[in-house]
Amino acid sequence: MTAVSRVAIVGSGVAGTAAAILLAEGGVDVDVFEVKPDLTALGSGITLQGNALRVFDRLGVWEQVQEAGYFFDQTGLRAPGPEAPFIAQIPDARTGGPDYPAVAGMYRPDLAQILADRATELGARIHYGTTVSSFTQDDTGVDVTLSDGSTGRYDLLIGADGLNSSIRTQLGIEVEPERTGMGIWRAFVPRPKDVTQTDLYYGGPVYIAGYCPTSEDMMYAYLVEPAQDRHLLSPEEGVQVMKELSQAYGGPWNEIRASLDGASRVNYTWFTKHVIPDAWNRGRVVVIGDAAHSCPPTIAQGAAQAGEDAVVLAELVLSRDEVDQSLWDEFHARRLPRATEVVEASVQLGQWQIDHVRDADVPGLMQRIAMLVSQPA
């Protein structure tokens, strides 16, 4: 008999749906509560490292991810300027092991749909437009009150509700995401035929100009700049800002710039960082994914670490007959050091760019993280 028979999960991102999939697969009755009305997500594309692909295989969706994504094994470095010459081609580590490509690009809503479909296929119920507004707990379970006024009792409540987690706040955990000083413009655009990998341009008017192919036809492009208040700009103004900032970058950026328009889903977010430095749970309520830790996307580990949280938590819950302190001790021993090191490395890489540290050991940092995440979570 497993430690739980009924679990509530708040949030339908990677962490939430991954946990739902694994728990439902193990025979647990699962309800997922998502405050958004549907799967339509702000955003364009996502870059996934090999250890994220390994997680998706464990979730039983690797075949669908292969059909929907675009895969490659190296990253190009280009110089700014009209010609945008290649400076280097860098092989990417296969952090998921030899059976998976090093890197994948995907359209975010496609990935969300794949994971949601798998969860419901296994019997999990996803309730859109609903969240947990409050909860109380005792030694044997958690009583939740939903935003529609209904109530329920669960053996475990998992807060996978993102950066600004309501569950984290309700637990009294005071750690909050902090801005790192960078902001990122993203857009979803047609893929120029010569773009077959991620290329990064360093220097010029922004910290990084880059792009990642997500399918045979499409990709997402991004510009990382000093963080500033861009949130009041209209979509049309956002398109114009991206066009202006990208003027210094040639090569495929010439086609990208020409294709930017109102259909490009241009959006702007700040880079943030945080890690809850001690227990991620209080009793039978736990936070995972971006609710527990966030890192800037400079090493593309956000989704991977969220998925790994879910894998480890589900493994422990399904292998135990009791939710006790030893379960939480093992969970934190396996997840806290790894997530902390990934966050710190991602922040360090961004800080080197902000500080213009020209002798920074970027290869050494990336090799250290590759070795870390290559090991199973």
Side-chain angles (χ1 to χ4, degrees), residues 315-329:
E315 175 191 316
L316 293 173
V317 167
L318 293 172
S319 66
R320 305 293 187 92
D321 57 10
E322 186 178 358
V323 178
D324 58 14
Q325 191 58 46
S326 68
L327 183 154
W328 297 120
D329 288 345

Side-chain angles (χ1 to χ4, degrees), residues 179-221:
R179 299 178 192 174
T180 69
M182 287 179 162
I184 185 169
W185 288 100
R186 294 183 177 95
F188 194 57
V189 296
R191 180 180 71 90
K193 295 305 180 186
D194 58 343
V195 172
T196 58
Q197 62 187 27
T198 285
D199 293 329
L200 301 173
Y201 301 61
Y202 290 102
V206 299
Y207 294 123
I208 307 170
Y211 41 75
C212 176
T214 57
S215 70
E216 289 300 318
D217 300 319
M218 302 297 290
M219 70 178 194
Y220 76 101

Side-chain angles (χ1 to χ4, degrees), residues 111-275:
L111 178 60
Q113 189 68 61
I114 288 169
L115 294 173
D117 287 348
R118 177 62 173 162
T120 54
E121 173 191 323
L122 291 168
R125 297 173 294 274
I126 303 179
H127 309 269
Y128 294 103
T130 309
T131 191
V132 171
S133 58
S134 65
F135 61 83
T136 59
Q137 61 174 313
D138 53 39
D139 291 341
T140 62
V142 185
D143 294 301
V144 306
T145 299
L146 303 176
S147 54
D148 63 6
S150 60
T151 61
R153 183 169 176 82
Y154 296 88
D155 301 312
L156 185 69
L157 172 61
I158 300 173
D161 50 342
L163 285 176
N164 301 307
S165 169
S166 169
I167 301 302
R168 183 181 66 226
T169 299
Q170 292 182 63
L171 283 175
I173 297 174
E174 297 181 354
V175 176
E176 296 285 345
E178 301 174 18
R179 299 178 192 174
T180 69
M182 287 179 162
I184 185 169
W185 288 100
R186 294 183 177 95
F188 194 57
V189 296
R191 180 180 71 90
K193 295 305 180 186
D194 58 343
V195 172
T196 58
Q197 62 187 27
T198 285
D199 293 329
L200 301 173
Y201 301 61
Y202 290 102
V206 299
Y207 294 123
I208 307 170
Y211 41 75
C212 176
T214 57
S215 70
E216 289 300 318
D217 300 319
M218 302 297 290
M219 70 178 194
Y220 76 101
Y222 48 89
L223 299 165
V224 180
E225 65 171 7
Q228 50 195 294
D229 189 357
R230 299 286 203 179
H231 295 82
L232 295 179
L233 296 182
S234 68
E236 295 76 15
E237 290 170 324
V239 168
Q240 189 58 38
V241 170
M242 284 198 74
K243 287 187 173 185
E244 292 172 357
L245 288 175
S246 66
Q247 289 291 334
Y249 307 101
W253 266 102
N254 293 326
E255 289 186 57
I256 295 168
R257 188 163 44 251
S259 68
L260 287 169
D261 58 23
S264 300
R265 301 190 66 170
V266 169
N267 67 88
Y268 186 79
T269 57
W270 289 314
F271 284 9
T272 66
K273 63 174 182 178
H274 82 286
V275 182

Side-chain angles (χ1 to χ4, degrees), residues 2 4-9 16-30 58-59 122 124 156 158 310 313-318:
T2 61
V4 301
S5 61
R6 193 167 188 234
V7 171
I9 300 171
T17 49
I21 288 166
L22 295 168
L23 291 171
E25 183 181 63
V28 176
D29 188 58
V30 178
R58 172 63 188 86
L59 299 178
L122 291 168
L156 185 69
I158 300 173
L313 180 60
E315 175 191 316
L316 293 173
V317 167
L318 293 172

Side-chain angles (χ1 to χ4, degrees), residues 52-74:
L53 306 181
R54 180 173 60 202
V55 168
F56 296 146
D57 198 1
R58 172 63 188 86
L59 299 178
V61 297
W62 176 225
E63 183 177 337
Q64 295 93 318
V65 168
Q66 285 179 288
E67 292 174 356
Y70 192 100
F71 304 89
F72 48 95
D73 288 299
Q74 67 179 13

